[in-house]
Amino acid sequence: MTDAAPSWFGPGTDSGLDEDLEAIDAPTTQPRSSSSSGDSSGPDTQLFFQQERRRAERSGENSAFVRLFRAFLLARAALGVALVLALLGAGLFGASAPRWTIALVLGYAAQALSLRLFRPLQQGATVQTLSRVSSPQWWASMGLDLAVFGVLHALGQGASINYGALFVLPVLMAGVLTPRLVALATAAMATLLMLGVAGWTLLSGADVGLRMTEAGLVGAGFFAISLLANEMANRLRREQQAARGSLEYARQQAQLNRLVIDEMQEGVMVVDRRGRVRAANPAARILLAEAPQRPVRAAPFQLRGVAAWEPLVAAVEQAFAAGAWPEAGRDVTLRLANGQPRALRLRMRFTQRRASKTSEDVCVLFVEDKRQVQQRSQQERLAAMGRVSVGIAHEIRNPLAAIAQANALLAEDSTDPRAQQLMRMVASNVERLKRIVDDVMELAPGHGMAESQPVDAGELVAQACLDWARTNGLPPGPDDPLTCSVPLQPLVVRFETEHLRRVLVNLLDNALRHAERAPGCVQVALSADPRAPAERALLSVFNAGAAIPPEVERHLFEPFFSTRSRGSGLGLYICRELCERHGAGLEYRYRAAQADTPAGNEFVVRLRLHSATASPSTEPQS
């Protein structure tokens, strides 16, 4: 027990408080490292929460100190009034007090009432000011009490009122509101006053030994009261700080959880047995609305009474009745007022495990759009398929190279026409397998991850179309099935040169394969996007022909989907992957017949411009 122990509200260094704060942080904080160079402060959110919690503790300490200080001031005022009433009562019964006693008691009562009733007189009384005996605030309350009660006790010897018991108030007040050292000093002053008055009775011939013994016992009681009050105040302070810190931490954690839930893409609702939604994040309110632009109002709101939500209400009632819900969830279809069905995947979790047969009153409802669930599942399957395919392609590459080399050696030595024909078939299929392997390897993680760079799209498209026409043996002139329109001015985009060339060649191969052969049946056009001429450029590859059936269109960009028996089904998928890597987009649309062009299918690549350029004019090239 040291003299430096703090008061209930003092700043001090009480080890018990540190232990309580560490106990609060124990479930969430990381163990601190002894290394001075490493980062041992834990996550930023935990540090923020600890700072906010301690700030709340300090503000709570100040408010608690003000309340207790005013309570003691009220006790002083009540004691002053009681002393005045006691003197009046004694006078009524014939035991009149000296005038100096009446004047002293009236003055004390007036000071106590003034200090309690007038707030400006209380200004300056803080945890720090009361921690010093020399402070005016200490003398205005506890110091004045000691002085007044000491005078009353000294000059009231033999009176009917025992003023010595009044020292308990300043001693108790100091034990609760001041540090231990100041509290013990206050108790020592009260004890010295008691002993001094007892020694002064020697002049009146009283029994000094008896008086000194009584004063010593009373002084020991003062010290005991001071120590006990201070110790109890310290313990209460620690518990209050720990409770306040935990409460503030819980509030901040709840606020963080609320922010996280609000930002979740998955809808979350808290629904009770009566169908009342107590809480709902924005994603859930959008899923329940007819249009995303007009979400349902914020919770609380009632699910019952809305015809479109009846399937959802029935699912909630079924969950409460059964007390359980499948882990994978169930599908519910809402019929909205606009006539459009909306399929939702519902997953429910009760607030507590069903330890008894009594069902819960609140459940947490997770809502997802079924289309998004299917897309996510499909993406996961495609990713897994891609990883497996890449592994297989990697293992095929080496044996395939050996087959090609062996076939080439056999072709050099063989003169049999039949054997030569078979070897050409082998070589053709080896090349086809190599292209498939190359396409599959393009999907490998980290493969082809070249950074985007400025590319003159006009020059690249014109050169790529010319090379592609020569490779495929297209006849030049008016019968050429390919037309190409590119800007006269440079149109610089963000892409990788070889990747953009591959995208264009794949789209041209696909267009020629499905085009109705005629002059100009395949058209390539490059221009600035009219909707955002300073940000995007459009690369269009069109082929005249019948529209793609809907059952084929929905699978166009899926890997390994092909309408040809000898196709790998990776061309369009790789095109979209390469576009997404460089911030571009690829989409399909059917273009109706116009005045100068027939109807057909069009693939449009939206390219990012490297810098702002004006919308250039175009010049057809062949």
Side-chain angles (χ1 to χ4, degrees):
M1 186 177 301
T2 62
D3 293 341
S7 72
W8 191 2
F9 307 97
T13 55
D14 197 300
S15 59
L17 173 60
D18 295 336
E19 294 173 357
D20 290 337
L21 295 179
E22 291 175 0
I24 296 173
D25 297 336
T28 55
T29 55
Q30 300 291 334
R32 296 189 176 184
S33 173
S34 58
S35 175
S36 60
S37 60
D39 182 8
S40 59
S41 59
D44 294 339
T45 55
Q46 295 175 3
L47 179 60
F48 170 76
F49 283 156
Q50 292 174 8
Q51 293 174 349
E52 290 295 321
R53 187 192 63 206
R54 289 185 171 89
R55 187 178 300 112
E57 290 171 359
R58 290 193 294 269
S59 62
E61 288 174 359
N62 294 332
S63 61
F65 170 81
V66 171
R67 289 195 302 269
L68 268 181
F69 182 69
R70 290 176 180 172
F72 276 109
L73 294 183
L74 179 61
R76 293 180 70 249
L79 180 59
V81 174
L83 287 174
V84 173
L85 294 178
L87 293 179
L88 292 176
L92 292 178
F93 289 100
S96 59
R99 292 182 178 181
W100 63 265
T101 302
I102 297 175
L104 189 60
V105 169
L106 289 176
Y108 174 78
Q111 190 272 347
L113 287 171
S114 300
L115 188 59
R116 177 61 182 86
L117 297 177
F118 296 101
R119 295 288 180 87
L121 298 178
Q122 302 173 14
Q123 294 181 355
T126 61
V127 176
Q128 288 75 20
T129 56
L130 287 182
S131 63
R132 301 188 305 273
V133 177
S134 60
S135 65
Q137 289 76 17
W138 185 88
W139 280 105
S141 54
M142 292 166 277
L144 181 63
D145 289 354
L146 292 175
V148 172
F149 299 158
V151 172
L152 290 175
H153 181 60
L155 301 180
Q157 295 296 316
S160 58
I161 300 177
N162 183 14
Y163 296 102
L166 299 179
F167 287 112
V168 174
L169 179 60
V171 171
L172 182 61
M173 187 176 180
V176 173
L177 296 180
T178 63
R180 186 170 300 168
L181 184 61
V182 178
L184 292 177
T186 305
M189 292 179 187
T191 303
L192 291 175
L193 288 173
M194 292 290 295
L195 293 174
V197 172
W200 187 33
T201 57
L202 177 63
L203 301 177
S204 61
D207 188 355
V208 179
L210 180 59
R211 293 296 180 88
M212 293 294 290
T213 302
E214 292 177 355
L217 291 176
V218 173
F222 290 160
F223 279 99
I225 292 173
S226 177
L227 290 175
L228 289 176
N230 190 263
E231 184 63 28
M232 292 176 63
N234 287 335
R235 181 172 293 277
L236 289 175
R237 175 182 64 89
R238 293 194 297 268
E239 293 178 358
Q240 183 183 19
Q241 287 180 336
R244 188 183 295 113
S246 298
L247 178 61
E248 185 64 23
Y249 186 86
R251 288 175 179 172
Q252 293 167 352
Q253 191 68 36
Q255 183 179 6
L256 177 62
N257 294 339
R258 192 180 302 111
L259 291 174
V260 172
I261 292 175
D262 287 346
E263 295 297 327
M264 288 178 59
Q265 299 297 323
E266 183 180 19
V268 181
M269 294 191 299
V270 179
V271 187
D272 60 17
R273 182 181 294 274
R274 296 170 296 179
R276 182 177 178 82
V277 178
R278 299 185 180 181
N281 68 341
R285 291 158 49 202
I286 291 176
L287 290 175
L288 296 181
E290 297 182 9
Q293 298 79 9
R294 295 179 297 171
V296 178
R297 66 181 181 87
F301 58 88
Q302 179 60 249
L303 289 177
R304 301 179 189 273
V306 181
W309 298 344
E310 287 300 325
L312 185 60
V313 174
V316 173
E317 292 177 348
Q318 179 184 358
F320 276 116
W325 194 258
E327 291 289 333
R330 291 176 181 171
D331 296 334
V332 172
T333 302
L334 304 183
R335 295 290 178 179
L336 303 179
N338 56 13
Q340 296 293 331
R342 180 171 297 169
L344 302 178
R345 174 67 56 85
L346 303 183
R347 293 184 296 113
M348 296 190 191
R349 299 294 182 267
F350 294 98
T351 54
Q352 297 179 2
R353 294 293 183 183
R354 286 173 50 84
S356 62
K357 295 184 178 180
T358 59
S359 54
E360 302 295 337
D361 292 330
V362 177
C363 72
V364 180
L365 182 62
F366 298 93
V367 187
E368 289 184 281
D369 193 331
K370 187 178 178 181
R371 293 173 299 178
Q372 296 180 356
V373 176
Q374 293 175 345
Q375 291 176 359
R376 185 167 61 249
S377 176
Q378 182 180 10
Q379 290 174 356
E380 293 175 355
R381 291 197 302 268
L382 292 179
M385 185 185 303
R387 289 191 295 269
V388 173
S389 302
V390 167
I392 295 175
H394 183 73
E395 296 297 329
I396 291 176
R397 174 172 289 179
N398 292 334
L400 195 61
I403 293 174
Q405 185 177 4
N407 185 67
L409 293 176
L410 290 175
E412 293 178 357
D413 299 335
S414 176
T415 58
D416 185 6
R418 179 64 177 173
Q420 290 286 343
Q421 182 180 3
L422 294 176
M423 292 175 189
R424 285 193 296 271
M425 292 177 58
V426 171
S428 175
N429 283 275
V430 165
E431 290 300 322
R432 178 170 173 265
L433 287 176
K434 284 183 177 180
R435 288 195 299 271
I436 294 176
V437 169
D438 291 339
D439 289 342
V440 172
M441 292 300 296
E442 192 72 42
L443 307 177
H447 186 275
M449 294 299 292
E451 294 184 358
S452 302
Q453 57 189 9
V455 178
D456 186 353
E459 180 181 357
L460 186 145
V461 170
Q463 186 63 40
C465 289
L466 182 61
D467 296 341
W468 178 81
R470 292 174 179 173
T471 303
N472 287 272
L474 300 183
D479 296 333
D480 192 348
L482 173 65
T483 61
C484 179
S485 176
V486 298
L488 295 176
Q489 300 176 359
L491 191 61
V492 182
V493 299
R494 298 289 301 178
F495 222 96
E496 201 277 329
T497 303
E498 293 303 322
H499 286 175
L500 183 57
R501 189 188 306 275
R502 179 163 188 177
V503 169
L504 179 58
V505 170
N506 282 351
L507 294 178
L508 286 172
D509 289 340
N510 185 73
L512 183 63
R513 188 178 305 116
H514 297 91
E516 297 177 354
R517 290 300 182 94
C521 62
V522 177
Q523 302 175 8
V524 177
L526 176 67
S527 62
D529 189 346
R531 293 179 297 180
E535 300 178 1
R536 293 280 177 177
L538 300 182
L539 174 60
S540 168
V541 179
F542 169 83
N543 69 279
I548 297 177
E551 60 273 11
V552 176
E553 181 181 347
R554 68 172 61 100
H555 301 290
L556 273 179
F557 299 101
E558 294 182 6
F560 308 107
F561 175 80
S562 177
T563 57
R564 300 184 302 119
S565 59
R566 296 177 60 85
S568 65
L570 291 173
L572 292 178
Y573 177 70
I574 291 177
C575 288
R576 171 168 282 187
E577 286 292 315
L578 293 177
C579 289
E580 290 180 353
R581 290 180 185 181
H582 298 283
L586 175 61
E587 60 185 25
Y588 161 79
R589 62 191 180 193
Y590 179 75
R591 195 170 76 183
Q594 300 176 0
D596 54 346
T597 57
N601 305 294
E602 183 180 26
F603 288 87
V604 179
V605 181
R606 298 186 180 275
L607 303 167
R608 290 187 304 152
L609 287 180
H610 177 62
S611 59
T613 57
S615 180
S617 60
T618 58
E619 176 185 355
Q621 298 181 6
S622 174

